[in-house]
Amino acid sequence: MTGPGTARRGDTGAGPPTVALVGANGHGRWHRRAIAPLHAAGRVRLAGLVDVRPLEDEPAAPVPPGARIFTDHRAMLAAVRPDVVVVCTPPHTHLPIALDALAAGTDLLLEKPPVLDLAKKIALT
């Protein structure tokens, strides 16, 4: 994880941090609407969207030019190398996606619950 004042893995000083959203349909559309004004203002760059289904239209958060669309989060992590990953997928998928994102060196915003099994939670601590 990175903190204030530390360089992000994709930070070249040439632009805003890159963000990817895993789970871009359903409740993920809320995240798309939250990210859209930040992207429009140049505060972040929405670089990747991941969903196993075709993206639903979201007039309040259209897919910006240059944003790549994937059906697999691992392919997105390798191709986009985002600074931040937002995970908004069904709860039983949270842990493996979150671990892959952290292993790739990204910062992480993970919808709750992080795990459904107390044993997995204990293993993480």
Side-chain angles (χ1 to χ4, degrees):
M1 299 286 270
T2 59
T6 59
R8 293 177 305 275
R9 58 196 283 286
D11 188 1
T12 61
T18 55
V19 176
L21 173 61
V22 181
N25 285 314
H27 181 63
R29 291 171 61 197
W30 183 91
H31 287 284
R32 287 169 57 189
R33 289 189 300 270
I35 294 167
L38 299 172
H39 178 93
R43 296 182 61 199
V44 301
R45 183 172 62 85
L46 181 56
L49 296 156
V50 181
D51 207 287
V52 295
R53 299 173 313 188
L55 288 186
E56 298 167 5
D57 185 38
E58 180 51 61
V63 177
R68 297 182 61 188
I69 299 171
F70 298 86
T71 57
D72 181 84
H73 74 277
R74 288 176 212 89
M76 179 278 298
L77 289 168
V80 174
R81 301 183 50 79
D83 298 309
V84 179
V85 171
V86 178
V87 178
C88 186
T89 58
H92 71 278
T93 66
H94 286 179
L95 182 59
I97 295 170
L99 292 174
D100 288 343
L102 292 173
T106 70
D107 287 341
L108 177 68
L109 184 137
L110 179 62
E111 282 284 335
K112 60 185 178 184
V115 294
L116 295 176
D117 183 328
L118 183 57
K120 288 180 182 171
K121 182 178 180 184
I122 292 169
L124 289 174
T125 57

